[in-house]
Amino acid sequence: MVTEDMKKTFAERRAKTAAYMTDHDIAAAVFEDNEDHREPAVRYLTGYTSDALLIFFADNRAVLIPWDENLAKQLAHAETIIASSNFGRQSIKAVKEILSAEHTKKTVELPPSTSYPAFLSFVDALPDWDVRCRENSLHDYVASLRAVKDAQEIASVKAAAAVGDHIIDVIEAKLKEGQLHSETDVALLIEKECRENGCERTGFDTLAAGSARSFAIHCFPSYTAGPWADDGLSILDFGVVRDGYTSDTTITVARGALSAEQEKLVSLVQKAYDTCLTLYKKDIPVQKAALKAQEIFAKARRKMPHALGHGIGLEIHESPVVRTSVPPATVFKPGMIITLEPGLYDAHAGGCRLENDVLITEDGNEVLSHARIIRL
């Protein structure tokens, strides 16, 4: 059900998109979300969850062509909803029929992900239109809008983070009570809590790595049943989704008497986390935080083998990425929600990572999630 507040939010997003189209002489744009290529802009602009074609016009009209018409009528904010079965579930046919009805024939922009053969088919089907498929497109502009969250998006991520915090608290309590022993135990607990706390799903496959596998940045395979939170360092990386928006957190469980090398890993990760959090602020270059983390690790002759963080939202990885190679002109902006996740990994000592979701505010930041290093 689309509420009045949601209608206002969608109207604001669509108004910005339509204005960009007018300024860049784009009459219509095609967005497609399907199994071959997920496109969060469809949900961002209409509220419809998945598997649909969206044709959006510069005059702010939206034609949604969903796989599930009944669900779309419940969830979507669009002037026109037509089941994809009306077009034989063929995107090119649907776009041709909708655009052929337009009195003004101008530019239509396709997703940059469109294959060359598909692009040629669109050109053949739309002889009266200037068909474009390019980088730095309207689609990229909409993705840039999603980097800075509006009030509805922030509320959704906060709701997801709150469920994630609850799950972490449950995990810590059950560990202390001796009720969790394996990677299976903790992964199934997370899914159960998601289902019981209003979540749509997990944000990604839960990465539960016991001490024998925590040396990997992302343990592989993710579906295993080995010991977890056993002696040494264990990692748990998970996210939960509320209203389409995901959290992303990582805890490290340090059990028993750690070796000197393991203690060093834990200490360095915590130091990098605490120090870099002070740099997650408005107008500070994103690169600066990543450089600071690497400086801390380099002094200890260590190197972090991944980015310090990334944006989250409708997707688990969004802009910006917090890494040393980011241009200095890329700065933290109020409304961005970005992970902070320093980590170090050793083939013998295991790994340690600490990750939370951080909202950039006008006067600093707000840590939305409360993952931590748990000592047992």
Side-chain angles (χ1 to χ4, degrees), residues 52-310:
L53 180 73
L54 170 64
I55 304 173
F56 188 72
F57 294 92
D59 61 8
N60 218 331
R61 287 178 294 132
V63 177
L64 185 69
I65 303 168
W67 175 68
D68 189 328
E69 183 181 16
N70 292 332
L71 187 63
K73 288 180 177 178
Q74 289 289 321
L75 300 178
H77 177 61
E79 288 70 26
T80 304
I81 298 175
I82 308 172
S84 62
S85 56
N86 288 18
F87 306 101
R89 304 198 186 282
Q90 299 177 43
S91 298
I92 294 174
K93 181 179 180 181
V95 172
K96 178 181 179 179
E97 290 193 23
I98 297 300
L99 294 189
S100 295
E102 293 295 305
H103 299 296
T104 302
K105 308 293 193 291
K106 291 186 178 179
T107 299
V108 57
E109 194 151 278
L110 303 178
S113 59
T114 304
S115 68
Y116 186 60
F119 170 74
L120 294 179
S121 296
F122 274 108
V123 170
D124 290 342
L126 302 167
D128 298 325
W129 286 78
D130 175 14
V131 182
R132 295 182 184 175
C133 180
R134 59 197 177 110
E135 295 181 345
N136 300 317
S137 65
L138 170 69
H139 301 75
D140 296 312
Y141 171 72
V142 174
S144 73
L145 289 179
R146 290 173 37 230
V148 176
K149 271 56 182 178
D150 56 38
Q152 180 270 325
E153 293 178 291
I154 292 171
S156 295
V157 176
K158 283 185 174 181
V163 175
D165 283 353
H166 162 73
I167 292 172
I168 292 171
D169 290 344
V170 171
I171 289 170
E172 183 170 10
K174 287 186 176 293
L175 283 173
K176 291 177 178 178
E177 294 166 3
Q179 295 183 32
L180 295 177
H181 304 283
S182 70
E183 295 165 339
T184 300
D185 290 342
V186 71
L188 293 181
L189 182 150
I190 290 169
E191 181 165 331
K192 175 178 178 291
E193 291 292 337
C194 281
R195 291 175 178 270
E196 292 180 352
N197 286 278
C199 297
E200 293 182 6
R201 54 184 171 82
T202 57
F204 48 92
D205 284 350
T206 295
L207 299 167
S211 63
R213 306 198 311 141
S214 65
F215 64 86
I217 300 170
H218 282 173
C219 58
F220 179 84
S222 56
Y223 274 52
T224 52
W228 184 79
D230 49 335
D231 286 348
L233 299 175
S234 296
I235 287 177
L236 176 67
D237 187 349
F238 76 101
V240 305
V241 177
R242 285 286 301 267
D243 302 320
Y245 289 78
T246 190
S247 64
D248 186 5
T249 53
T250 303
I251 64 172
T252 293
V253 179
R255 183 186 285 274
L258 301 184
S259 68
E261 186 62 25
Q262 289 171 329
E263 287 287 1
K264 185 177 181 180
L265 295 180
V266 171
S267 176
L268 285 169
V269 167
Q270 187 69 64
K271 180 179 180 180
Y273 178 90
D274 293 339
T275 303
C276 293
L277 180 59
T278 67
L279 299 175
Y280 272 50
K281 293 181 179 179
K282 173 185 175 182
D283 295 335
I284 291 181
V286 167
Q287 180 193 69
K288 188 173 182 179
L291 287 170
K292 176 55 71 174
Q294 292 293 19
E295 176 188 320
I296 291 169
F297 294 145
K299 287 180 178 178
R301 298 185 179 181
R302 289 284 179 175
K303 184 176 181 179
M304 181 170 63
H306 55 73
L308 181 63
H310 56 84

Side-chain angles (χ1 to χ4, degrees), residues 347-358:
H348 303 290
C352 177
R353 183 164 67 250
L354 175 58
E355 176 184 18
N356 277 306
D357 307 327
V358 183

Side-chain angles (χ1 to χ4, degrees), residues 334-351:
M336 287 180 170
I337 301 179
I338 308 171
T339 66
L340 172 57
E341 49 179 302
L344 291 173
Y345 314 87
D346 184 272
H348 303 290

